[in-house]
Amino acid sequence: MASGVPLNDQDRIPWLCALHRLIWEDSCGHGVILACSSLRKLYRDILVYGQDASVPKSDREEVKKEFQPDKVLFVHLQGTMKVISERMQKRSDHFMPSALLQSQFDTLEPPAETEHFMSVSIEKSVPEIVLEIEKNLLLQL
């Protein structure tokens, strides 16, 4: 991305598998907060199921028991391209050039009702966003 070329699935999948291991193996049963752009449903499935994300859903029952997908809450930060572009213009020394923003929107598959997620508007301040996420997490305990 730093060179102005968007990542593809081949670039992302090994990294997502490593994040899956971090969530389910390296966390030793403790809660984990992980920030990444899981733009597509496949990417979110890999974070939950690892390489088993490619297993047909009907065959995932054993995988579900092991990984408990309802224990992963995805936070979908919603914002318009205009707002995000304006914020990106204000950043310095960031790896992703603003010219790639359109490719991110093109790749985006917003979470579906069947996924465990919440949406938060980026129009809010960072403290308001964090508070909304925290309240949602506390409701799930």
Side-chain angles (χ1 to χ4, degrees), residues 8-61:
N8 60 32
D9 288 355
Q10 280 184 299
D11 299 320
R12 287 186 171 110
I13 289 174
W15 174 71
L16 292 165
C17 287
L19 293 176
H20 164 82
R21 285 188 298 278
L22 175 72
I23 294 168
W24 296 105
E25 298 169 17
D26 299 342
S27 66
C28 300
H30 298 288
V32 175
I33 296 175
L34 175 73
C36 71
S37 62
S38 50
L39 298 169
R40 295 183 56 216
K41 181 170 183 346
L42 172 65
Y43 305 160
R44 296 185 292 275
D45 283 351
I46 291 170
L47 289 171
V48 173
Y49 301 107
Q51 293 179 339
D52 291 321
S54 61
V55 173
K57 284 185 181 183
S58 59
D59 296 335
R60 278 196 202 155
E61 281 310 307

Side-chain angles (χ1 to χ4, degrees), residues 37-92:
S37 62
S38 50
L39 298 169
R40 295 183 56 216
K41 181 170 183 346
L42 172 65
Y43 305 160
R44 296 185 292 275
D45 283 351
I46 291 170
L47 289 171
V48 173
Y49 301 107
Q51 293 179 339
D52 291 321
S54 61
V55 173
K57 284 185 181 183
S58 59
D59 296 335
R60 278 196 202 155
E61 281 310 307
E62 289 304 311
V63 174
K64 278 186 181 182
K65 289 176 190 170
E66 180 182 353
F67 294 122
Q68 303 174 353
D70 61 323
K71 296 288 185 187
V72 176
L73 174 69
F74 290 97
V75 178
H76 177 64
L77 298 172
Q78 288 184 305
T80 65
M81 182 143 32
K82 180 179 186 270
V83 169
I84 295 170
S85 179
E86 288 170 358
R87 290 183 182 179
M88 289 178 77
Q89 298 299 324
K90 293 176 185 175
R91 297 190 301 199
S92 62

